[in-house]
Amino acid sequence: MTLIDGKAVSAAVKERIRKEIEEKNLEIGLAVVIVGNDQASRVYVNNKKKACEICGIKSYEYALPEETTEYQLLKLIDDLNNDSRVNGILVQLPLPGHINEKEVIGYISPEKDVDAFNAVNVGKIMIGNYSFLPCTPAGVMELIHSTGTEISGKECVVIGRSNIVGKPMAMLLLHENATVTICHSKTANLKEVCARADILVSAVGRAGFVTADMVKAGAVVIDVGMNRNAEGKLCGDVDFENVKDKCSFITPVPGGVGPMTIAMLMENTLRAKKLQSL
């Protein structure tokens, strides 16, 4: 078993971006909007700001109080859509309950939607003619590629059907000619289906969900889960200790997919700048 080091792969991606920005002397701006005081959201936002600093991207933070109205948030997005200094807009989710997330995501200009959540960008991913890829699935693809694994012709299983990870993940694997199965809570014979996978991606959000009997010997296992176990320790969806000796490659949690999500956000922001400069 070989551990896939997300920190090392993400550092290489960020260094590549930094070099390109420096060589081309690009001025790039990312606006990050956070509403309320969610602690996890604050950690994510701070990590995104750090990554911007490393890459040479200017970050503009808009921290709004919990009681901000939907109208006020949409007004800010409208201003950012029209601000030439801002190449990418990211609204940190989740939003407070009184704000409609769908409405907000739909309001971000598709050209500045560096999370690739807007329906226009989601549709483009479906047909394979995309400008941006959602950051987590794009990061997963980067990790698989880093192992030298050939995706074409392989049987891939994605556990989880969310719009943010599961569905786009399946599309990206399909675009590289894999045979893809999406599993979810209603899947019959889940264990058997997963055990066929040459590449298994779990994004279900349940600690220790993927057990050794669900993993084919020699499979590549990508763990997107970010959970807390009974002891409060950060862990993934995969029962790491029992699965690690059965697979060829596996991502750890933390230090696997997590760092890649932010690296691909930087990639999307650079791409947004290039597309806007055409």
Side-chain angles (χ1 to χ4, degrees):
M1 176 277 299
T2 304
L3 215 53
I4 308 173
D5 187 347
K7 286 181 183 171
V9 179
S10 75
V13 170
K14 286 185 282 199
E15 178 56 21
R16 187 178 77 220
I17 293 165
R18 187 196 66 75
K19 270 190 179 153
E20 184 171 344
I21 290 172
E22 201 175 272
E23 281 165 13
K24 295 180 178 171
N25 198 21
L26 299 171
E27 290 275 324
I28 305 180
L30 173 67
V32 181
V33 181
I34 177 170
V35 185
N37 310 306
D38 185 82
Q39 282 310 107
S41 291
R42 173 41 64 196
V43 171
Y44 288 134
V45 166
N46 289 347
N47 287 341
K48 285 162 187 173
K49 283 162 74 177
K50 270 183 218 152
C52 282
E53 219 170 287
I54 290 166
C55 294
I57 293 171
K58 282 199 176 82
S59 66
Y60 304 103
E61 185 188 304
Y62 297 85
L64 308 178
E66 185 86 22
E67 59 276 11
T68 300
T69 65
E70 189 175 305
Y71 175 79
Q72 288 169 322
L73 179 54
L74 295 179
K75 173 74 179 77
L76 171 62
I77 292 170
D78 198 36
D79 292 343
L80 296 173
N81 281 339
N82 294 305
D83 187 339
S84 59
R85 297 170 312 152
V86 172
N87 304 105
I89 301 168
L90 181 145
V91 176
Q92 185 64 49
L93 303 178
L95 290 167
H98 64 278
I99 296 176
N100 183 332
E101 285 185 2
K102 262 190 194 158
E103 194 72 32
V104 170
I105 288 164
Y107 216 70
I108 298 169
S109 160
E111 288 77 35
K112 295 190 177 186
D113 169 38
V114 286
D115 258 336
F117 291 165
N118 184 295
V120 171
N121 287 325
V122 173
K124 286 181 164 186
I125 292 158
M126 186 79 181
I127 60 174
N129 174 29
Y130 42 79
S131 309
F132 307 117
L133 294 175
C135 301
T136 300
V140 169
M141 295 305 282
E142 198 82 23
L143 290 175
I144 297 170
H145 293 147
S146 78
T147 68
T149 301
E150 176 67 52
I151 296 172
S152 182
K154 293 286 167 62
E155 183 141 9
C156 299
V157 172
V158 178
I159 314 174
R161 52 176 163 180
S162 73
N163 292 334
I164 291 173
V165 182
K167 289 177 192 170
M169 188 71 251
M171 280 300 123
L172 299 195
L173 289 163
L174 203 53
H175 291 325
E176 292 206 19
N177 303 314
T179 299
V180 186
T181 304
I182 303 178
C183 293
H184 44 79
S185 57
K186 300 284 188 290
T187 300
N189 309 323
L190 178 70
K191 203 174 281 186
E192 291 78 0
V193 176
C194 292
R196 295 201 307 257
D198 301 304
I199 298 169
L200 179 64
V201 181
S202 182
V204 77
R206 282 168 64 185
F209 183 79
V210 177
T211 49
D213 56 355
M214 293 166 73
V215 177
K216 179 181 181 177
V220 175
V221 178
I222 307 286
D223 191 348
V224 184
M226 284 288 262
N227 317 298
R228 298 267 172 199
N229 63 14
E231 294 81 53
K233 194 166 168 266
L234 200 61
C235 65
D237 290 347
V238 177
D239 175 7
F240 185 85
E241 284 310 311
N242 292 311
V243 169
K244 66 177 172 40
D245 296 325
K246 200 170 178 186
C247 53
S248 56
F249 292 95
I250 189 169
T251 57
V253 177
V257 175
M260 292 307 299
T261 298
I262 293 177
M264 301 324 282
L265 172 67
M266 300 298 107
E267 180 90 73
N268 279 351
T269 307
L270 171 59
R271 189 157 170 71
K273 169 72 178 182
K274 289 180 185 168
L275 290 168
Q276 289 156 28
S277 304
L278 291 175

